[in-house]
Structures are given as structure tokens and as C-alpha cells.
Amino acid sequence: MTPAETEERVVPPDAPAERLDKTVARLFGISRGRAMEWIAEGRVRVDGKRAPKGAPAPPGARIAVTKPPPDQPAPEPDLPIRIVHADAHLIVADKPAGMPSHPLKPGETGTAANALVGRFRELAGVGRSGREGGLVHRLDTDTSGLLLAARTDAAHAMLRAQFSGRTVEKGYLALVAGEIHAGGEIALPLLHDPRDPRRMQAASDAAYAEEHGARPAVTRFEPVERRGGFTLLDVEIPTGVMHQIRAHLAFIGHPLAGDALYGGPDLPGLSRHFLHANRLAFAHPDGSRARYESALPADLSEALRRL
């Protein structure tokens, strides 16, 4: 766990005379509410002494703040996650269904980030957010498959740039309701469904999409095989918007099998949606072209066999 850090700033000689909480907020670039929290927690010193939030902070005063350590995933080395590849720059892991990618709130456990930090402790300090545990992207909780994490800040920046630049090959296997006989592309922006905040909504009206801040999203698919009124698709997404594959395929009338949130039909013996991140390909920080694959897990293979 990264230790807390102390920073010190001097109130400029021409600064207006203000309360301590306002001064801390201005000097350290935080909200006034956060400044008051730090003062109440005893993290703020004025010329070496604690002071209340309403105390004056005159020009020339030395304000020291001991910042709380970043919120990082608790190490859980015994969580079930398969390490597909590990080197000095990155980790590729195969996440099981039912496991969130990373914590969404302080103290949350049971996520892929907890599992990875438990095995590779340096991941706790890598990434834009302490909770990400070095992860470069994420998967829905009930989506299984390949996750990529960076072991250094340099590798994280390089890999994130590839995701942002849409140069990472992200492949999935998806079983959808109905028969699809030809491949296609869905290029519709996505936004949160105003009727149900759990869902994403495809916006076919450009003006509506722009007005509501919809995010660009592109989903490409090819049929692999058709069985019992379902189609197994090979899917690629250059973009990465929340629920992208699920929302796009539901929009064209072919929701994922087992995806109750988007209207997908149940499959006997399957307790989650049929979506597996089966391949990742990208430029490795060492200069090579990396490619990793993951076979369908047992629950999806069995559900497909039963068709």
C-alpha cells in the first residue's frame, strides 16, 4: 500500500486573508468540502500546528497537508483468476464470469483487480485510479475473458493510448437470439437509458445523440454458426463503451442469450449472458506484436452443446 505523502505550500504574500479551509482548497486545488475533511481528520498543519477550519491563514504561513494514501484494491491472492501471460511490462489474465473488473467503492473486494494485486503487488500503484490495480480496460461482471493490466506507468500510458486510438483488436464470442446469415457493422452512439439507468441505449438520431452526450461506438460481427434459433457471432469492437456489444445487438433485434437486462432469452443451465472476450492483440511495450486467446469457458461451451 502506498504511504501517505505530505505536501507543503506557502501562502503568497499578496494573497487575501481567508479562512484556513478556503486557503487549503485554493493552494492544493481541491474542493472546499475536501479541505474541511482533511482539516477535521488532522491532516493539515499551519506553521507546524493544527488549526480549526475557520482559523486565519495569513500571508507567509506555511500550510502542510498529509494526503490520504490512494484508495487501492486489497490484495486477494486466492481469488480464482487465470494468468495467461506475465512479463516485466504487463499481465494478461482470464477473468471468470461473476467477478467485477475492479472496485467501484472503497473497501470493495472480490474483483479482478484485487486478485491481480494479490499476485503482483506493484499493480496497486499503477493507473489513473488507485482502484484499477493497473487495469488498462475492463469487462462487465458477467462477461468472462481476457483482461490486460500494466505493471509500470510507462506501459500503462502506452497501452491506454492504443485503446484510445482504437488500434487494439478486441474480439468476443457472443451467442444471440435469432438467425444471422451475414456479417455487419453497427455504428451508433450509446448513452445511458433515461428510463433505466442500468442500461445503455443506442441513439439512431444524430441530433438526439449529440444533445444527450452519447459516446461513439462501433460493433462489427460475423456469424460463426447457427444452432436451434440462435447464432454464435465473432464480434470485434474498436471502441469500448459500457455494455456496447449487449446494447448494439439488442438494438438490431438479436440480444445476447441469457441477457435479461436487454431482453435476451434464457438458456437452460446458463446463469449469465453468453459473452466471452476471447482475444486481444496490441503493440507490446517491447516493440513486438502481442496476441492472446482464451477458449470458451465450460458453462458457455455446455450451453452451446445443448443447442
Side-chain angles (χ1 to χ4, degrees), residues 100-255:
S101 291
H102 63 75
L104 296 179
K105 56 185 179 181
E108 184 179 350
T109 57
T111 77
N114 294 104
L116 292 175
V117 168
R119 292 161 173 78
F120 308 94
R121 295 301 175 93
E122 72 278 5
L123 293 178
V126 178
R128 300 169 299 176
S129 163
R131 295 180 195 167
E132 293 177 352
L135 289 178
V136 183
H137 65 127
R138 61 186 179 185
L139 300 173
D140 289 348
T141 297
D142 281 338
T143 299
S144 53
L146 298 176
L147 271 177
L148 180 60
R151 299 183 78 169
T152 68
D153 287 332
H156 189 276
M158 178 197 177
L159 295 169
R160 277 298 310 163
Q162 292 181 63
F163 276 89
S164 298
R166 304 184 182 182
T167 60
V168 177
E169 179 186 337
K170 295 177 287 181
Y172 295 75
L173 289 173
L175 186 70
V176 301
E179 293 193 354
I180 297 179
H181 294 266
E185 178 179 285
I186 308 165
L188 290 173
L190 294 169
L191 67 153
H192 285 280
D193 189 333
R195 298 162 300 182
D196 187 343
R198 300 173 302 160
R199 292 167 45 103
M200 298 297 285
Q201 177 184 29
S204 55
D205 182 278
Y208 180 86
E210 182 176 0
E211 179 184 353
H212 291 82
R215 295 180 58 191
V218 177
T219 301
R220 303 183 182 112
F221 59 90
E222 289 286 343
V224 177
E225 61 177 304
R226 290 173 293 278
R227 292 189 186 185
F230 292 85
T231 303
L232 182 66
L233 297 178
D234 181 278
V235 180
E236 285 191 9
I237 53 169
T239 53
V241 180
M242 176 181 171
H243 294 186
Q244 176 177 324
I245 294 173
R246 299 165 65 188
H248 268 171
L249 292 174
F251 180 83
I252 64 170
H254 296 283

Side-chain angles (χ1 to χ4, degrees), residues 255-294:
L256 294 180
D259 193 355
L261 184 62
Y262 287 91
D266 290 336
L267 277 184
L270 186 63
S271 59
R272 51 115 166 185
H273 59 243
F274 196 120
L275 185 61
H276 179 66
N278 73 318
R279 67 183 181 276
L280 271 178
F282 51 90
H284 193 284
D286 67 9
S288 65
R289 182 68 182 174
R291 182 183 178 89
Y292 303 97
E293 297 188 356
S294 168

